[in-house]
Amino acid sequence: MEIARPSSLDEVLQARAETPGADLLAGGTDLMVEVNFGHARPESVIALRRVDDLKGEDGRRIGAGVSWARLESSPHRALAQLARTVGSPQIRAAGTIGGNIGTSSPAGDGLPWLAALDAEIEVASRDRGTRRLRWDDFFTGVKRNALAPDEVILAAVLPVAACVVRYDDGRVHVALGSVAPTPIRATRAEELLASEPTPNEGTLAEFARLVAEEVRPITDHRSTEAYRRHASGVLARRLLERCLARC
Ligand SMILES: Cc1cc2nc3c(=O)[nH]c(=O)nc-3n(C[C@H](O)[C@H](O)[C@H](O)COP(=O)(O)OP(=O)(O)OC[C@H]3O[C@@H](n4cnc5c(N)ncnc54)[C@H](O)[C@@H]3O)c2cc1C
């Protein structure tokens, strides 16, 4: 296995352009599991650990190379909260938000947060420069995304936002992970709340029903589709009630 160890973004983009089949390695907490189980045998790897250009964090822009350990103290309260739930201290020290986005697993804990905020994923290549894709254009399926073979994820970019739950468009955003091939928004449940901004008991029950209807879970060895639908509605309603009590 050939390993390139660039120390600047320009060097990463150059290496990516010259070896588009190479795997990018950030914390390695997803990629090395695949290697250890024999599911991936990369011939060449581009290691990102030395690339400080990917580790910046300035409010709306969170560099791909920022670790979960750093995000535990993010000013974005929901991000800090979810970062604390990722793996163990060792995983949070190594794993990055860019790796979570790169893997594009529907179970990636960072992804519903990006969906709730209508975040964009900023990517770049040597030959075509930088572009930004909305989260729902970026995530295209189970562990699939719109990143081209010569591109690198630079950052997650957030829109100008007021608070975690309610935004400048006055809507509650309902995002869910692990219950569809990609992170999803429950848009019919969102529309219900937009039409009834002070929900009563009936609205809350309908909200939970709509969420349960909108998710697209599977039955597998961990659980059934029916249970996952039910749990999605119950958990979304509980979270909404908690948010409404705080706003
Ligand atoms: C024991 C254990 C527990 C875990 N617990 C959780 C959990 O609770 N929640 C959760 O969401 N995840 C969990 N994970 C998965 C993993 O830790 C996260 O997805 C983490 O964010 C991956 O980041 P990384 O930097 O280690 O990615 P890596 O393994 O380095 O890379 C992952 C993928 O992203 C690509 N990639 C990395 N950086 C870039 C970039 N800048 N541009 C383009 N592509 C890039 C890589 O090529 C690779 O395909 C766990 C993993 C383990 C082993």
Side-chain angles (χ1 to χ4, degrees):
M1 186 192 294
E2 276 187 24
I3 303 181
R5 294 186 180 81
S7 54
S8 72
L9 181 57
D10 284 346
E11 287 174 18
V12 174
L13 296 179
Q14 183 67 25
R16 194 73 163 137
E18 284 167 2
T19 44
D23 275 326
L24 294 163
L25 179 77
T29 61
D30 275 327
L31 185 63
M32 293 314 295
V33 173
E34 293 294 300
V35 171
N36 290 343
F37 277 106
H39 299 154
R41 279 270 166 262
E43 282 180 13
S44 44
V45 164
I46 302 168
L48 301 177
R49 202 157 83 182
R50 298 180 181 176
V51 186
D52 289 342
D53 301 337
L54 294 174
K55 296 180 185 167
E57 205 192 343
D58 71 348
R60 288 181 53 217
R61 196 171 177 287
I62 300 162
V66 178
S67 69
W68 292 115
R70 270 182 64 199
L71 292 172
E72 284 181 64
S73 49
S74 165
H76 303 289
R77 207 171 55 179
L79 178 61
Q81 227 171 7
L82 83 85
R84 286 177 211 127
T85 72
V86 172
S88 57
Q90 294 90 334
I91 294 293
R92 295 196 290 275
T96 62
I97 190 165
N100 209 238
I101 296 169
T103 296
S104 301
S105 162
D109 279 328
L111 312 190
W113 181 76
L114 298 171
L117 293 175
D118 274 335
E120 292 178 313
I121 313 301
E122 188 176 277
V123 305
S125 67
R126 183 195 66 183
D127 299 336
R128 296 182 306 288
T130 302
R131 63 182 180 131
R132 284 185 184 177
L133 292 93
R134 241 182 72 117
W135 67 275
D136 46 356
D137 290 326
F138 184 84
F139 300 110
T140 54
V142 177
K143 297 193 175 180
R144 296 175 77 90
N145 59 50
L147 195 73
D150 62 343
E151 283 180 321
V152 175
I153 300 166
L154 300 187
V157 183
L158 312 179
V160 180
C163 106
V164 171
V165 181
R166 286 172 190 273
Y167 290 99
D168 42 8
D169 64 2
R171 288 175 70 110
V172 173
H173 294 193
V174 184
L176 299 103
S178 296
V179 285
T182 63
I184 58 160
R185 290 269 294 275
T187 50
R188 285 166 55 215
E190 290 182 3
E191 276 156 25
L192 172 76
L193 294 177
S195 64
E196 297 184 44
T198 45
N200 57 27
E201 181 56 34
T203 318
L204 291 172
E206 178 62 4
F207 171 79
R209 194 190 68 76
L210 285 174
V211 171
E213 214 172 79
E214 286 190 79
V215 295
R216 289 180 284 133
I218 55 168
T219 296
D220 65 9
H221 59 287
R222 293 196 181 90
S223 187
T224 62
E225 176 194 337
Y227 175 80
R228 284 175 164 140
R229 281 192 189 281
H230 177 72
S232 299
V234 170
L235 292 175
R237 175 182 168 156
R238 278 188 202 155
L239 185 59
L240 175 66
E241 287 176 313
R242 210 196 296 169
C243 294
L244 290 171
R246 285 189 186 164
C247 278

Coordinates of all heavy atoms in Angstrom, one line a residue, residues 170-215:
G170 N -38.8 30.6 10.1 CA -39.9 30.4 11.1 C -40.4 28.9 11.2 O -41.4 28.7 11.8
R171 N -39.7 28.0 10.6 CA -40.1 26.6 10.6 C -39.3 25.8 11.5 O -38.2 26.0 11.8 CB -40.0 26.0 9.2 CG -40.9 26.6 8.1 CD -40.6 26.0 6.8 NE -40.9 24.6 6.7 CZ -41.9 24.1 6.0 NH1 -42.6 24.8 5.3 NH2 -42.1 22.8 6.0
V172 N -40.0 24.7 12.0 CA -39.3 23.7 12.7 C -38.8 22.7 11.7 O -39.5 22.3 10.8 CB -40.2 23.0 13.7 CG1 -39.5 21.8 14.4 CG2 -40.7 24.0 14.8
H173 N -37.5 22.3 11.8 CA -36.9 21.4 10.8 C -36.8 20.0 11.5 O -36.2 19.9 12.6 CB -35.5 21.8 10.4 CG -35.6 23.1 9.6 ND1 -34.5 23.6 8.8 CD2 -36.6 24.0 9.4 CE1 -34.8 24.7 8.2 NE2 -36.1 25.0 8.5
V174 N -37.3 19.0 10.9 CA -37.3 17.7 11.5 C -36.5 16.7 10.7 O -36.8 16.3 9.6 CB -38.8 17.1 11.6 CG1 -38.8 15.8 12.3 CG2 -39.7 18.1 12.3
A175 N -35.3 16.4 11.2 CA -34.3 15.6 10.4 C -34.1 14.3 11.2 O -34.0 14.2 12.4 CB -33.0 16.3 10.2
L176 N -34.0 13.2 10.4 CA -33.8 11.9 11.0 C -32.7 11.1 10.3 O -32.6 11.2 9.1 CB -35.1 11.0 11.0 CG -36.3 11.6 11.7 CD1 -37.3 12.3 10.7 CD2 -37.0 10.6 12.5
G177 N -32.0 10.3 11.1 CA -31.0 9.4 10.5 C -31.3 7.9 10.8 O -32.2 7.6 11.7
S178 N -30.7 7.0 10.1 CA -30.8 5.5 10.3 C -32.2 5.0 10.0 O -32.5 3.9 10.4 CB -30.5 5.1 11.8 OG -29.2 5.4 12.1
V179 N -33.1 5.8 9.4 CA -34.4 5.3 9.1 C -34.8 5.5 7.6 O -36.0 5.5 7.2 CB -35.5 6.0 10.0 CG1 -35.5 5.4 11.4 CG2 -35.4 7.5 10.0
A180 N -33.8 5.6 6.8 CA -33.9 5.7 5.3 C -32.5 5.5 4.7 O -31.5 5.6 5.5 CB -34.5 7.1 5.0
P181 N -32.4 5.4 3.4 CA -31.1 5.2 2.8 C -30.1 6.4 3.0 O -28.9 6.2 3.0 CB -31.4 5.0 1.3 CG -32.8 4.6 1.2 CD -33.5 5.3 2.4
T182 N -30.7 7.6 3.2 CA -29.9 8.8 3.5 C -30.5 9.5 4.7 O -31.6 9.1 5.1 CB -29.9 9.8 2.3 OG1 -31.3 10.2 2.2 CG2 -29.5 9.2 1.0
P183 N -29.8 10.5 5.3 CA -30.6 11.3 6.3 C -31.8 11.9 5.6 O -31.7 12.3 4.4 CB -29.5 12.3 6.7 CG -28.5 12.3 5.7 CD -28.5 10.9 5.1
I184 N -32.9 12.1 6.3 CA -34.0 12.7 5.6 C -34.7 13.8 6.5 O -34.4 13.8 7.7 CB -35.1 11.6 5.3 CG1 -35.6 10.9 6.6 CG2 -34.7 10.6 4.3 CD1 -36.9 10.3 6.5
R185 N -35.5 14.6 5.8 CA -36.3 15.6 6.5 C -37.8 15.1 6.4 O -38.2 14.6 5.4 CB -36.2 16.9 5.9 CG -34.8 17.6 6.1 CD -34.8 18.4 7.4 NE -35.6 19.6 7.2 CZ -35.3 20.7 6.6 NH1 -34.0 20.9 6.2 NH2 -36.1 21.7 6.5
A186 N -38.5 15.2 7.5 CA -39.9 14.8 7.5 C -40.7 16.1 7.2 O -41.2 16.8 8.0 CB -40.3 14.3 8.9
T187 N -40.8 16.3 5.9 CA -41.4 17.6 5.4 C -42.9 17.8 5.7 O -43.3 18.9 5.9 CB -41.1 17.8 3.9 OG1 -41.5 16.7 3.2 CG2 -39.6 18.0 3.7
R188 N -43.6 16.7 5.7 CA -45.1 16.8 5.9 C -45.3 17.2 7.4 O -46.1 18.0 7.8 CB -45.8 15.6 5.5 CG -46.0 15.5 4.0 CD -46.4 14.1 3.5 NE -47.6 13.7 4.2 CZ -47.8 12.4 4.5 NH1 -46.9 11.5 4.2 NH2 -49.0 12.1 5.0
A189 N -44.5 16.6 8.3 CA -44.6 16.9 9.7 C -44.2 18.4 9.9 O -44.7 19.1 10.7 CB -43.7 16.0 10.5
E190 N -43.1 18.8 9.2 CA -42.7 20.2 9.3 C -43.9 21.2 8.8 O -44.1 22.2 9.4 CB -41.5 20.5 8.4 CG -40.2 19.8 8.9 CD -39.0 20.1 8.0 OE1 -39.1 20.9 7.0 OE2 -37.9 19.6 8.3
E191 N -44.5 20.8 7.7 CA -45.6 21.6 7.2 C -46.8 21.7 8.2 O -47.4 22.8 8.4 CB -46.1 21.1 5.9 CG -45.3 21.6 4.7 CD -45.4 20.7 3.5 OE1 -46.4 19.9 3.4 OE2 -44.4 20.7 2.7
L192 N -47.0 20.6 8.9 CA -48.1 20.6 9.9 C -47.8 21.7 11.0 O -48.6 22.5 11.4 CB -48.2 19.2 10.6 CG -49.1 19.2 11.8 CD1 -50.6 19.2 11.3 CD2 -48.9 17.9 12.6
L193 N -46.5 21.7 11.4 CA -46.1 22.6 12.5 C -46.1 24.1 12.0 O -46.4 25.0 12.8 CB -44.8 22.2 13.1 CG -44.7 20.9 13.8 CD1 -43.3 20.6 14.2 CD2 -45.6 20.9 15.0
A194 N -45.8 24.2 10.7 CA -45.8 25.6 10.2 C -47.2 26.1 10.2 O -47.4 27.3 10.4 CB -45.2 25.6 8.7
S195 N -48.2 25.3 10.0 CA -49.6 25.7 9.9 C -50.2 25.8 11.3 O -51.2 26.5 11.5 CB -50.5 24.8 9.1 OG -50.5 23.5 9.7
E196 N -49.6 25.2 12.3 CA -50.1 25.3 13.7 C -48.9 25.5 14.7 O -48.4 24.6 15.3 CB -50.8 24.0 14.1 CG -52.0 23.7 13.2 CD -52.8 22.5 13.7 OE1 -52.9 22.3 14.9 OE2 -53.1 21.7 12.8
P197 N -48.5 26.8 14.7 CA -47.2 27.1 15.5 C -47.3 26.8 17.0 O -46.3 26.7 17.6 CB -47.0 28.6 15.2 CG -48.2 29.1 14.4 CD -49.0 27.9 14.0
T198 N -48.6 26.8 17.6 CA -48.6 26.4 19.0 C -49.4 25.1 19.1 O -50.6 25.1 19.3 CB -49.4 27.5 19.8 OG1 -50.5 27.9 19.1 CG2 -48.5 28.7 20.1
P199 N -48.7 24.0 18.9 CA -49.4 22.7 18.8 C -50.1 22.3 20.1 O -49.6 22.4 21.2 CB -48.2 21.7 18.5 CG -47.0 22.5 18.5 CD -47.2 23.9 18.9
N200 N -51.3 21.7 19.9 CA -52.0 21.1 21.0 C -51.8 19.6 21.0 O -51.1 19.1 20.1 CB -53.5 21.5 21.0 CG -54.1 21.1 19.7 OD1 -53.7 20.1 19.0 ND2 -55.2 21.8 19.2
E201 N -52.5 18.9 21.9 CA -52.3 17.5 22.0 C -52.6 16.7 20.7 O -51.8 15.9 20.2 CB -53.2 16.9 23.1 CG -53.2 15.4 23.4 CD -51.8 14.9 23.7 OE1 -51.0 15.7 24.3 OE2 -51.4 13.8 23.2
G202 N -53.7 17.2 20.0 CA -54.0 16.6 18.7 C -52.9 16.8 17.7 O -52.6 15.9 16.9
T203 N -52.4 18.0 17.6 CA -51.3 18.3 16.7 C -50.1 17.4 16.9 O -49.5 16.9 16.0 CB -50.9 19.8 16.8 OG1 -52.0 20.6 16.9 CG2 -50.1 20.2 15.6
L204 N -49.8 17.3 18.2 CA -48.6 16.5 18.6 C -48.7 15.0 18.1 O -47.8 14.4 17.6 CB -48.3 16.6 20.1 CG -47.8 18.0 20.6 CD1 -47.7 18.0 22.1 CD2 -46.5 18.3 20.0
A205 N -50.0 14.5 18.3 CA -50.2 13.1 17.9 C -50.1 13.0 16.4 O -49.5 12.0 15.9 CB -51.6 12.7 18.4
E206 N -50.7 14.0 15.7 CA -50.6 13.9 14.2 C -49.2 14.1 13.7 O -48.8 13.5 12.8 CB -51.5 15.1 13.7 CG -51.5 15.2 12.1 CD -52.1 14.0 11.4 OE1 -52.5 13.0 12.1 OE2 -52.0 14.0 10.2
F207 N -48.4 15.0 14.4 CA -47.0 15.2 14.1 C -46.3 13.8 14.2 O -45.6 13.4 13.3 CB -46.4 16.2 15.1 CG -44.9 16.3 15.0 CD1 -44.3 17.0 14.0 CD2 -44.1 15.7 16.0 CE1 -42.9 17.1 13.9 CE2 -42.7 15.8 15.9 CZ -42.1 16.5 14.9
A208 N -46.5 13.1 15.3 CA -45.8 11.8 15.5 C -46.2 10.8 14.4 O -45.4 10.1 13.8 CB -46.1 11.2 16.9
R209 N -47.5 10.8 14.0 CA -48.1 9.9 13.0 C -47.4 10.2 11.7 O -47.0 9.3 10.9 CB -49.6 10.1 12.9 CG -50.3 8.9 12.1 CD -51.7 9.2 11.9 NE -51.9 10.3 10.9 CZ -51.7 10.3 9.6 NH1 -51.3 9.1 9.1 NH2 -51.9 11.3 8.8
L210 N -47.3 11.5 11.3 CA -46.7 11.9 10.0 C -45.2 11.5 10.0 O -44.8 11.0 8.9 CB -46.8 13.4 9.8 CG -48.2 13.9 9.4 CD1 -48.3 15.4 9.4 CD2 -48.7 13.3 8.1
V211 N -44.5 11.7 11.1 CA -43.1 11.3 11.1 C -43.0 9.8 10.8 O -42.2 9.3 10.0 CB -42.4 11.7 12.4 CG1 -41.0 11.1 12.5 CG2 -42.3 13.2 12.5
A212 N -43.8 9.0 11.6 CA -43.8 7.6 11.4 C -44.1 7.2 10.0 O -43.5 6.2 9.5 CB -44.7 6.9 12.4
E213 N -44.9 7.9 9.3 CA -45.3 7.6 7.9 C -44.2 8.0 7.0 O -44.0 7.3 5.9 CB -46.6 8.4 7.6 CG -47.5 7.7 6.7 CD -48.8 8.5 6.6 OE1 -48.9 9.5 5.8 OE2 -49.8 8.1 7.2
E214 N -43.5 9.1 7.3 CA -42.5 9.6 6.3 C -41.2 8.9 6.3 O -40.5 8.9 5.3 CB -42.3 11.1 6.6 CG -43.4 12.0 6.1 CD -43.1 13.5 6.2 OE1 -42.4 14.0 5.3 OE2 -43.5 14.1 7.2
V215 N -40.8 8.2 7.4 CA -39.5 7.5 7.4 C -39.6 6.3 6.5 O -40.7 5.8 6.2 CB -39.1 7.1 8.8 CG1 -38.8 8.4 9.7 CG2 -40.1 6.2 9.5

